[in-house]
Every structure is written in structure tokens, then in C-alpha cells.
């Protein structure tokens, strides 16, 4: 277990009064951001952190501890005077309450955007530090997800992390709730549209690229998990032109369809539906999907062919013990165990079932 790290400001030399860093932080790729940060002196890093924290906190590619400290300051400010102070304070209390526990249980705030211009607040929260984990799982929740209810999704990812920890030789696992997009507020009409997925797709892809850049030591195994409309965001992100998600595996649970494809010749609003794994960058052997028999959302195919249908490709995992649309992370279910086997690379232990006739 990794030792608990103190605040970044305690590790870096604090800037003198009125010190100003040279220029604003860049707005580059995750690799460019990581190189920029690494080239700064400790004093320059501390100066940027204290002066441009709101920008630093959302730069993909920077160390997770740095992003955490910058975003925590923004969350504290929002809890004190934001538009949804109660939700921000609840998240702040949970994060601060985790800091005295073991490093594997500490919550790191990797992204935070206050509510603005009619869009909900956004937050990206890791359990454990993904920069030194052996396995990293990124979870994208679906319709009606917001900061006020993020605690339930953190509980789900804590259960998944704990399940992974029961697998011999699995190493350290960090799980992340990625609410880095404005999720639909309702099924009808919001979740019937593709706009929310399209708006979040590039940010999700860039976040995974940033995880690769900030990781220390040998590459971590990274798994992307999308639930409900979150799977539509995931599928759209992996079908982006150029390159998809920087992940080893994708898991879609309770999916209404994996979204839309965009190519160099096709704009967002005339791109075809993602109907099988050939429309995505992930290899079919590393695409997994699950659906309870009574999960009505998985029969809608609002956003393309269901990923558990025979024609989609990939593997369908068993979900015994889970029912309805939201039980896929309940302790004791085959659904939770199978996801833990996937994210730790124990593919031979994953229990699969025949895909659904299309």
C-alpha cells in the first residue's frame, strides 16, 4: 500500500507574496501539458498552483495530486458561495473525511466545474491514486447523474475496488467516477438525444490520455465502464476520428446503445450509429457488455444496436444476482465479480453467456 501523500503545497516551496508565474498554463494535449509541468521548477509549479488553480485542476496529463489540490480549492469556494452549496459541501465533506484513511481509500478530486450557464456542476473523483495503481477503472454514469448524487456512484466504485482486491495477485486498484460531462436530467426528452454524449466524448478521451501521461512506473491496466447513457458517451468517445479511448478494455452495462461515430468526412450530426465493435477503436476481444434480463433500457436501442446483441461483437458477461437497471455493482453479484476480473486482466475467469438474438 502506498504511503499517504500530503498536500502538494506542502511538498512544493510556497511562492513569495504577489509572485506571478510566467504566463498562463497551456491548453495543449495531455502529453504537452505533462511536459510543460515537468519542465517547471518546484517554485514555478507552486506559483501556478496558487495563481491559476482553476486552470491547473482540469489540465489532463498533470499529476493527480496536483489536480486534486487545485480542484479542492475550487470545490471549497463553491461550497461557500456557489449555486448548489449543499451538494458541493457534501462532496467536500466526503473527500476531506477520506484523507485520514489508508491511501487506497483516499478520494482525489481530479476535475471540478461549478454549475454555469444552465449546465450542472461536473466532478471527477478517484478512489486511490491512479498515478501509481496497477489497475484503473473509469466509470461514466448516465441519466440524472449529478454532483448531488455522486455519493452513490462512489459507493459503487468502492465496491468494485474492494472486489478487485479479493483477486490474488491483482495489485493495487484505483476506481474513478467520471462525471466530467453534463448528464441528461431526464429520460424523456433529454436522454433520447445524442448531444450530451457528443459534448462529453472528447473530454473523456482526453482524460484517458492524461491518465497515461501522469502514471508513474509501468503502464497501468485501464478499463472504461459506461452505465446506461454513460455507455453512449463511452461508445461515442471511442468512435472518435483519429484515436479512441486510451484504455485496455471497455465494459458497457445496461446500455441503450453505444452512440455515434464521427469520421474526417462526417460531422457530429450526420455520423452513423455505432452498431458494432468495428465502428470503434477497441478490439472485439476487449469489449464486454452486460444486461439483466429485466433491464428494459437495454431493449430500447435508442442509440444504436444493443451491445449485448449477437451482431455487435465482443463478449456478454453474466449478471446473475443483478436485476433491473442499476444493480450491476451490488456485492455478491456475478456482474460485480466479472467486472473485477476484467479490470485486473483475469479474462479466463470471466463468466460469459450467449449474446442476445438481434
Amino acid at each position: 500500500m502506498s504511503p499517504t501523500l500530503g498536500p502538494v503545497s506542502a511538498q512544493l516551496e510556497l511562492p513569495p507574496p504577489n509572485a506571478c508565474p510566467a504566463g498562463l498554463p497551456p491548453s495543449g494535449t495531455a502529453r504537452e501539458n505533462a511536459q510543460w509541468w515537468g519542465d517547471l521548477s518546484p517554485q514555478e509549479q507552486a506559483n501556478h498552483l496558487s495563481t491559476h488553480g482553476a486552470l491547473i485542476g482540469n489540465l489532463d496529463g498533470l499529476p493527480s495530486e496536483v489536480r486534486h489540490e487545485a480542484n479542492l480549492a475550487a470545490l471549497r469556494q463553491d461550497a461557500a458561495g456557489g449555486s448548489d452549496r449543499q451538494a458541493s459541501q457534501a462532496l467536500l465533506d466526503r473527500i476531506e473525511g477520506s484523507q485520514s484513511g489508508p491511501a487506497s481509500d483516499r478520494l482525489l478530486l481530479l476535475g471540478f466545474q461549478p454549475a454555469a450557464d444552465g449546465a450542472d456542476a461536473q466532478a471527477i473523483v478517484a478512489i486511490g491514486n491512479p498515478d501509481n495503481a496497477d489497475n484503473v477503472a473509469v466509470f461514466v454514469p448516465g441519466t440524472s447523474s449529478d454532483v448531488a448524487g455522486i455519493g452513490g456512484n462512489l459507493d459503487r466504485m468502492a465496491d468494485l475496488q474492494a472486489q478487485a482486491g479479493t483477486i490474488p495477485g491483482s495489485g493495487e486498484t484505483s476506481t474513478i467516477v467520471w462525471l466530467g460531462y453534463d448528464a441528461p436530467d431526464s429520460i424523456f426528452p433529454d436522454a433520447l438525444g445524442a448531444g450530451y454524449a457528443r459534448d462529453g466524448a472528447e473530454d473523456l478521451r482526453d482524460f484517458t490520455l492524461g491518465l497515461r501521461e501522469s502514471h508513474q512506473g509501468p503502464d497501468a491496466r485501464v478499463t472504461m465502464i459506461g452505465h446506461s447513457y454513460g455507455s453512449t458517451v463511452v461508445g461515442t468517445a471511442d468512435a472518435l476520428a483519429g484515436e479512441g479511448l486510451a484504455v485496455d478494455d471497455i465494459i458497457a452495462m445496461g446500455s441503450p446503445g453505444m452512440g455515434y461515430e464521427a469520421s474526417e468526412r462526417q460531422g457530429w450530426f450526420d455520423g452513423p450509429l455505432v452498431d458494432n465493435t468495428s465502428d470503434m477503436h477497441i478490439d472485439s476481444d476487449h469489449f464486454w457488455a452486460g444486461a439483466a434480463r429485466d433491464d428494459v433500457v437495454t431493449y430500447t436501442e435508442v442509440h444504436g444496436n444493443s451491445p449485448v446483441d449477437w451482431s455487435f461483437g465482443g463478449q456478454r458477461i453474466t449478471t446473475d444476482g443483478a436485476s433491473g437497471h442499476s444493480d450491476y455493482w451490488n456485492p455478491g453479484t456475478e456482474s460485480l465479480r466479472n467486472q473485477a476480473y476484467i479490470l485486473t486482466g483475469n479474462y479466463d475467469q470471466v463468466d460469459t453467456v450467449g449474446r442476445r438474438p438481434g
Side-chain angles (χ1 to χ4, degrees):
M1 187 174 296
S2 302
T4 300
L5 298 176
V8 173
S9 59
Q11 301 171 50
L12 302 176
E13 183 182 350
L14 290 174
N18 302 319
C20 293
L24 290 171
S27 179
T29 65
R31 177 164 295 180
E32 290 168 344
N33 294 341
Q35 182 173 351
W36 167 79
W37 183 259
D39 288 342
L40 296 176
S41 70
Q43 182 67 64
E44 290 171 327
Q45 291 177 349
N47 290 350
H48 273 286
L49 188 60
S50 64
T51 307
H52 300 301
L55 297 175
I56 294 293
N58 292 296
L59 283 182
D60 295 314
L62 267 60
S64 292
E65 290 279 359
V66 172
R67 296 183 66 169
H68 168 71
E69 179 147 339
N71 287 311
L72 201 59
L75 179 62
R76 288 193 180 104
Q77 184 176 3
D78 200 60
S83 60
D84 194 352
R85 294 190 293 273
Q86 185 174 0
S88 293
Q89 185 63 54
L91 177 57
L92 179 62
D93 290 343
R94 181 154 182 169
I95 292 173
E96 291 183 331
S98 74
Q99 302 307 301
S100 60
S104 60
D105 295 342
R106 287 184 62 219
L107 301 184
L108 298 180
L109 188 59
L110 305 185
F112 181 72
Q113 290 282 0
D117 300 325
D120 294 334
Q122 300 174 18
I124 305 170
V125 186
I127 305 175
N129 191 337
D131 292 353
N132 50 39
D134 301 291
N135 317 295
V136 178
V138 182
F139 173 74
V140 183
T143 300
S144 76
S145 297
D146 56 21
V147 170
I150 200 171
N153 286 319
L154 286 171
D155 291 340
R156 288 173 170 174
M157 289 302 98
D159 288 335
L160 180 58
Q161 181 196 47
Q163 185 67 45
T166 68
I167 301 173
S170 62
E172 294 290 332
T173 297
S174 171
T175 53
I176 300 171
V177 175
W178 191 87
L179 188 54
Y181 80 115
D182 184 17
D185 290 330
S186 61
I187 294 177
F188 183 83
D190 295 346
L192 302 184
Y196 295 91
R198 289 164 171 161
D199 289 346
E202 289 191 38
D203 288 338
L204 179 59
R205 179 197 58 189
D206 292 346
F207 178 75
T208 63
L209 294 170
L211 287 176
R212 294 295 191 194
E213 293 298 327
S214 64
H215 194 266
Q216 303 168 11
D219 288 343
R221 177 180 296 278
V222 181
T223 301
M224 180 64 63
I225 304 171
H227 176 227
S228 192
Y229 193 91
S231 71
T232 309
V233 180
V234 170
T236 302
D238 197 56
L240 285 171
E243 59 182 324
L245 297 166
V247 300
D248 298 282
D249 291 275
I250 290 176
I251 303 173
M253 303 300 292
S255 176
M258 296 301 292
Y260 294 78
E261 178 187 9
S263 73
E264 300 295 344
R265 299 185 304 277
Q266 295 159 330
W268 275 123
F269 293 99
D270 59 0
L273 288 166
V274 175
D275 276 332
N276 53 65
T277 54
S278 66
D279 295 326
M280 302 167 65
H281 286 84
I282 196 74
D283 186 273
S284 182
D285 290 340
H286 293 277
F287 180 85
W288 315 78
R293 291 183 179 180
D294 59 348
D295 186 347
V296 296
V297 171
T298 67
Y299 294 92
T300 63
E301 300 192 346
V302 173
H303 298 291
N305 189 19
S306 171
V308 298
D309 283 357
W310 71 271
S311 59
F312 195 90
Q315 292 74 235
R316 180 183 179 184
I317 64 174
T318 59
T319 58
D320 295 353
S323 64
H325 187 53
S326 301
D327 287 354
Y328 297 114
W329 295 273
N330 285 3
T333 62
E334 286 299 307
S335 174
L336 186 68
R337 280 192 284 268
N338 282 325
Q339 291 178 78
Y341 288 140
I342 294 167
L343 72 90
T344 57
N346 289 279
Y347 303 127
D348 59 335
Q349 298 187 61
V350 178
D351 189 18
T352 60
V353 65
R355 286 176 283 161
R356 203 161 59 193

